[in-house]
Every structure is written in structure tokens, then in C-alpha cells.
Amino acid sequence: MSEISGTAGDVVWQSNPPGSIYDYIKVASFSIGPDGLVDQWSGRAAELFGLDAHQVRGRDPVEVFVPAELRRQGHRTVKEILDGKEWTGLVPFRAGERGTEHGLAEIYVMPSETENGDRGALCLVVDVRALQRIETDLASSQAIFGQSPFGFLLFDTDLKVRRANQRFATVFGGTTGEHRGRTVHDYLSRPEADRLTGALKRVLETGDTVSDLQIVGTAPEDQERRHWSINLYRVHSGSGRTIGVAGVGTDVTRRHNAAREAASARRDLALLNEASARIGNSLDLETTARELLGVAVPGFCDLAAVDLYQSLLTGEEAPPGRWGSSGAESGGGSATLRRVAFASAVSDGPLGAPGGSDGYVSPDVGAVHRFPFSSLSASALRTARVQSIPGQSGSLVRSTLAVPMVAHDTVIGLAQFSRTKGSEPFGDQDRALAVELAARAAVCIDNARLYRREHERALILQRSLLPPGDPEAAGLDIACRYLPGNTATEVGGDWFDVIELPGHRTALVVGDVMGRGLRAAVAMGELRTAVRTLALLDLEPAEVLSALDEIARGLGTPSGAQQASRVAHKSRDAELSEVYLATCVYAVYDPVTRRCTFANAGHLPPVVVEPDEAALMLDVPPGMPLGVGGEPFEQVEVDLAEGALLALYTDGLVESRDQPLDEGLSAFRAALGDAARPLEDVCDHVLTTLDTRHGEDDIALLMARIQGLPAEAVGDWSLPREPRSVGRARELARAQLVAWDLEPLVDTVELLVSELVTNALRYGEGEIRLRLLRDRTLVCEVWDAGLVQPRRRRARDTDEGGRGLQLVGLLSAAWGSRRTPRGKTVWFELALPDGDSTAEPTVEQLLSMF
């Protein structure tokens, strides 16, 4: 811009910058000489008419530009002008060298005079079409700028408002003129104004447009946060000069809120899907609570906690949050709770005001506390309704939702979700989502509680059915181990037992009920009881398993069911019966012969380690599992060497998800390589060597070292079938007891041996065999080939006999009979003098037999 100081005072002359109105109007000029011909031709005229000066100068303008039908009038008008008359009007014209372009010009003709006094004319020409375009553009600009429903601003190159439309003034107040000269800092907060200013500068410098620039602010007298979408583009003059930046603003607050609600709904659905996938994967209360917080923080809130009723965690039947028919909660909302989980996504800071009654009164996991009765948290527990707790002064927490955790009409605890300052407050949709999250977690926690209760009961039942401590047996050194699965798995049906049999024999049992949980533990208890009952009958191992198979098949069938009912519920009964399938090894050891008889019902084979030999799996026919039925069981007799090691076990010891059965069995045999060590050390070595910490299944291990009765502890004689054998039996028994220093038992033994040998002579068959066994007790056995079992009965006053077995029952600690491969054996047992001796029968008891 150039400035020239004139001579008339302070008047300052300046040249118009490019892009003035004349750039758009394009005024052309030319002059006509006294002869009526063109003598001067301007550059603008050349642009307007499309002819250069040498093509026009010296020619008649009427002939060149005016159409033929108007030339007559044109010559007359030119003549009048040369006579000194001014003229203005609209004249059609032809343009271009060939005159093919037509237009309409507004011409202002002013007479002139040459220096010689001759008359001429100066013509000013304006293209009417350009004027019409300007008029149209102005009307369009006014319509767009003034009537636009969007806020419209025009910034100059200094980024100051040059013009604002009425819509913008309506939003930000004042008239349109009052906004001239302002900047964006007059309307927006500093961060937003700096961001918009940066965008204006980029558009001004580069010419690149900016679309949908999101700006947040507040309008005067309106505290609601508004969202505007701003579009910016650079504005040029007709000559291409940059004159500023135009900005169009649209209020998109509703669209933003709708998008935010849609995004919130998508977030809520995503959170619920995540909750379905992550919550409840563990049957553990604390783990489930942590899973809930893992979903909620930070996706839903900034910090959260879960408090559960203390009674829930200690295993009581129902927490104090039980709801009755009246809808009132019995616990009053102020019972003792324990914090089981806490999660935070914020930095360290005061989460709650000191001494606060609501919110995070004790964020330490494991802390036991009570909510004051008047607190909102206690109210949430009492009413089972969500309570909004405002943040306290000096706390980072802005607001908290106290959400009762309700499962099966029972309030089991409280979940607290909090957002800190700087986060959006909780809305109604957030409250609904918090209730849904807490409800899902509550059901899972309650299921975990029920599982824990059932697991503990099954564990108690299982422990009560296992032998206490290390059982004792004649001719055996026994050690046993039982390792339950971890708390994440249900209780299994593994069991083992050591049962004393007549004749100082011992039954060793290991079994495994297929299935888990309380039903498996109950089935295990029933089968164990059945095994003990069958063992008292002194049946052969194969017979025991056959009877046990019948019992197992009946466990899953409802008693008293009719055949039609069983058919109608065939699938259900089959499902129940499957739970009671079991495997079992039953072995009977005789310490006199050091012989062990095995029978197997689908269980893993026993392992024997002979002295200085490698471990060997016994080839015992496996048979079918108990409860399948239809197949007989076989038994195998094995002679065991003195000092040999016998191991019975369940599959949890040798099989897991990461270890195949063959590898586990090989590792087990290798772990038994050094069997000469003390038996307890061997057990510990096996459990230390093998993978017993997988926790997938219970582990039962029963080990026994063979220690047969020494020959001097056994008295064995054969007696002929004749009356004098009764006296001979008394003499042999007396001599053996004296040799064993058991003189206090001589009289009793002589009397009872006489009764048993007499019965064998009277009711039995074949040769008679008398055997005395001394171990922890004294056992006397009388064998014969007869199959008729003795039966104790009460003799009448007139009966001459029938009192022998009554006498045996009174004087002995125990007595009984059992079948043998070649007949039967009748036996009685007496405590040793230095043990718990049996009380002598009273006179009344003796007289009652007669």
C-alpha cells in the first residue's frame, strides 16, 4: 500500500489494494474523435470487447460493435454527442474479431473538446452481465451469510472477526456489529481457543480446509457444555488475494449426546459380555469378587470394592441379609462385613475423608468392619436398593454407587463403584449397569458359597470314613497317605481301608468312586461300609467284589421302584447309576503263610517290591468296575517274601492332565526302587518324587511291608476223628500256652478248645485241625471238612446240650466261623494277659446258660 500526502491539509491519498470493487466491475473506456471514429482504446476495453487497439482505432464504433438493425439509431446518437450532448443508456453490442459474441453494455458518453477546439466524446462502458453477476453474488452471499441457520464468521488476516451473521449473534448475544474486531478467545476457554486459533492459522497459511473440528464451550447465560462442529476455509478476492478465513459452526450437542449414549450402550454391552466371560470361572468367593472388579476397573469406574457378610465367609447357612415376606431385611444393614476385593486405577491419594461413614471406610483387603446404621451404605444393604454417595471434602472420589449384591432374594454383600474427580458422574444407565454387574457376581459368589459348603461337608464325610492314623495289622508294617485335590476341584471318592480278619489275617482295600462331589463321597461311604460288612463274613476276595458289585448297582436305583417306573425313568436311573461306578482292589493277607489273595474290579494293579528286586506290577485280572455287573471276578494268590513291599494306590498318584498313565506308572515303580528304607520314608519319597501337586484328583496310597508271623508264634496240629482227640487237644493247648508264658489263659483255653473240638467231632466231617496263633491277641482255630456252619442258640432248661457256643461267646473276646476251600473253621480270640483282658463272666451269666 502506497500513501501520498496531498497539499490540501490532512487529506491522504492512497491506492486501492488489489481486489477492489473495480476488479469485479471492470469499467472500460475509449474516446471518439471529431470525425466520429475511435481514436483512443483502453486495455479494459480490449478485455471487454475482445479487440486490441490496432483493430479498433480509426474505425466507426457503431459499425464495429452495434448490430446492423440498431446502427441507424446509433449514428444519430453519435452525431448528437458530437454536437455536445451527454448520453447514457444500454446498448447491445457484438464482441470479438468476428462479432460472434453478443453482450449488453451500459455506456456513459461525455462530450469532449480537443486542443484545437474540435468536439469529441469520452465513453465509459460497463458490462451489464458483470453487474448482474455481482448483484446475484451479493444476494447469494447475503442469503448464505445472513439467513444461514448456522453460525457464520469471517476472520480477516489478523484472525479478528470482520463479520458475523445473525445466528452467531443470537447464540453469543449482542448485535452482529458488536462482534467485529473480536477474537476466538472472547468466546472459548483458553485451551479450546488456542486449538481453534491454530486451525485458523493453518488454513490461512496453507489454504487447506478444515472439516468437522470439534470445539467444546459454553454460551453466555448457559452453563451447559455445548459441542460445535467447525468448518474452516480460506477466502480470496476476485484477483486471488487472500482476505481472510470463513468459519461455519454447527451445534452438534444433541448429536454428540446421542453418539455418547450409543457409545455408552456399546460399552455397557461390551462390559456385560466381558462379565459373562470373566466372572464365575472359579468356584471361589474371593476370586469371583476380584473377577468382578477386574471387569469394572477401569472400564466402568476408577476404583471399586466388594464387601461380603462375615457370616457368609464363615460358612453359616444364610447371611443376615435374608429377605422375608414383608420385604424387610433381618440384619438391619449393619452386620459385620469383610472386604474381600479392592481395585483402583488412580494414583495414591485420599480416597475418603478421615472418619467418613460411607464409601471406602477401610480399603484394606481382609479388614472386618461395620457400616453405621445411618449411613447410605447400610441403607443399601437394608433396602436392597442402589444408593448414590457424594464425594466428601478432601477426597479424590467424586461419587460412589453402593450396590447391594443380591442372590436368590438374599443380600450377601455390597459392591461399591466410584469415579474420581475429572470423570463423568454416574447416570441412570450407569446405575442399571452397576446393578447388573453386581447381580451377576452375586449369583456366582452364592454358587461358590454353596459349592464351598458342599465341598466342606463332603470333605468332612470323606475324612470321617478314612482310617484314623496308621492302622495296625498282624504281620504287616503299614503306612498310608491321603492327599485331597485342591479347593478348585470337587471332593473325589477315593478311599482305602485296613480291616482285621479272624486268624490275624488282614484285608487291604483301595477304591475310587467315579465322579466327584458330595454324591461321590456318600457313595464312597456306602461302599466302604459294605466292604467292611462283607469282610466280617470272611468271604473270599472274589466273592466280596461280586457282592459289592450288586450293592453298587443298587445304589443309583430308587428303592421300591416298580419295573414300569424304572423303564419310564431309564435315562434318569442310568445317569444316577453312573455316578456310583467304582474301581476297587481287595486283598487278604495271611501272616502265617505270607500269602496274599487279590481280586480286582477295574482298578490299577498292585505293585510289589521283593527284597533286592525291582518293583513289579502284579498280574491280577482287572475285571469290570463295580456297578457294571454281568462279569465274574477272579482272584489270584501270591506268595510274598519276608520284607517285601506291597503298594496299593489310586489313579491320582500316577495320572494327570500333563502326565499319561504309562509314564506315571513307570515313575511310580522307579520311586519304589529303594524299598529297604523305613516305610514312612518310602511314602514320603514317593510323594516327593511324583507330581502330586496337580490337584486334579485325590490321591490315596496304602503301603505294607510283609512281616510274617514267626514259626514259634504258631501252634498247628492235626487230630484224628475220635473222642480222645478232645483230651489231646487240651494237652496240646496247655503245653503251647505254658511255652508262651500265657499260664493265666490255660483254663479258659482248655475249656473253649474242648467245646470246639467236641462240636467238630459231633457235627463236622473229616480230620480235625487245631491251630493257635499268638500276636497282639491269642487266636484259637479248629478246622474240619464239614460245611455246616455252627449257629448259636439259647438252650432250653430241659436241653442237655446247646450251651457250648454260649460259653464260647461269654469267655472269649470274639468268636466266629468261616468257610475254607475244604470245609470250615471255627475260631475264638482272647486278649493277652498284659493287654486289655476280658472280664470274667459273672455267676449269673454262667447260670443263665442252664
Side-chain angles (χ1 to χ4, degrees), residues 565-767:
S565 176
R566 288 199 298 269
V567 173
H569 300 83
K570 183 177 180 180
S571 60
R572 174 178 173 269
D573 292 343
E575 180 182 356
L576 291 174
S577 298
E578 185 179 359
V579 176
Y580 293 101
L581 293 177
T583 63
C584 179
V585 168
Y586 185 87
V588 175
Y589 172 68
D590 188 343
V592 178
T593 61
R594 290 198 301 273
R595 180 172 297 163
C596 193
T597 305
F598 296 92
N600 190 352
H603 202 80
L604 295 174
V607 176
V608 172
V609 185
E610 300 281 357
D612 300 325
E613 297 289 341
L616 175 67
M617 287 192 297
L618 294 179
D619 186 14
V620 179
M624 299 298 292
L626 301 176
V628 174
E631 293 292 335
F633 295 96
E634 300 181 41
Q635 64 186 39
V636 174
E637 290 187 353
V638 178
D639 292 327
L640 300 176
E642 183 75 16
L645 185 65
L646 174 64
L648 305 178
Y649 52 95
T650 57
D651 57 357
L653 180 67
V654 294
E655 186 178 26
S656 68
R657 186 181 294 109
D658 300 325
Q659 185 181 44
L661 179 60
D662 292 342
E663 295 181 6
L665 290 172
S666 298
F668 181 41
R669 292 198 304 271
L672 292 173
D674 189 7
R677 293 184 297 176
L679 199 56
E680 294 290 338
D681 294 345
V682 175
C683 282
D684 293 338
H685 177 71
V686 168
L687 297 182
T688 303
T689 303
L690 301 183
D691 178 21
T692 59
R693 299 182 180 273
H694 51 77
E696 299 172 11
D697 196 3
D698 297 347
I699 295 174
L701 174 62
L702 177 62
M703 303 186 74
R705 192 182 303 280
I706 304 302
Q707 296 175 349
L709 287 181
E712 59 271 15
V714 179
D716 195 349
W717 306 274
S718 295
L719 301 174
R721 190 170 187 79
E722 55 187 28
R724 63 178 182 175
S725 293
V726 176
R728 178 61 179 164
R730 287 198 299 269
E731 294 175 358
L732 294 173
R734 182 188 309 110
Q736 187 63 66
L737 292 178
V738 171
W740 287 341
D741 295 329
L742 297 179
E743 288 86 353
L745 301 180
V746 169
D747 294 339
T748 302
V749 171
E750 281 188 344
L751 176 61
L752 299 185
V753 164
S754 297
E755 291 293 336
L756 295 186
V757 173
T758 300
N759 285 344
L761 289 173
R762 182 177 298 178
Y763 307 107
E765 298 177 6
E767 189 180 46

Side-chain angles (χ1 to χ4, degrees), residues 768-804:
I768 299 173
R769 181 181 176 188
L770 173 64
R771 190 167 75 167
L772 295 179
L773 306 175
R774 177 188 178 184
D775 192 68
R776 291 172 297 152
T777 60
L778 177 68
V779 174
C780 177
E781 300 174 334
V782 175
W783 305 44
D784 69 79
L787 297 178
V788 179
Q789 299 288 326
R791 181 173 61 87
R792 182 176 179 180
R793 62 184 178 85
R794 177 174 293 278
R796 292 174 300 195
D797 295 343
T798 57
D799 291 343
E800 296 181 358
R803 297 178 179 83

Side-chain angles (χ1 to χ4, degrees), residues 309-386:
Y309 279 117
Q310 180 74 353
S311 57
L312 181 82
L313 299 170
T314 54
E316 296 182 11
E317 284 295 323
R322 172 67 65 179
W323 284 74
S325 59
S326 64
E329 189 251 339
S330 60
S334 57
T336 303
L337 298 104
R338 184 196 302 171
R339 179 142 300 173
V340 296
F342 176 80
S344 173
V346 300
S347 58
D348 296 337
L351 300 179
S357 61
D358 264 315
Y360 297 90
V361 296
S362 178
D364 297 331
V365 175
V368 177
H369 63 92
R370 293 174 180 263
F371 288 113
F373 185 85
S374 59
S375 65
L376 293 175
S377 297
S379 175
L381 292 171
R382 284 195 303 274
T383 63
R385 296 178 181 175
V386 182

Side-chain angles (χ1 to χ4, degrees), residues 34 115 184 282 289 318 486 627 718 795:
E115 58 182 11
V184 294
S282 170
N486 56 39
S718 295

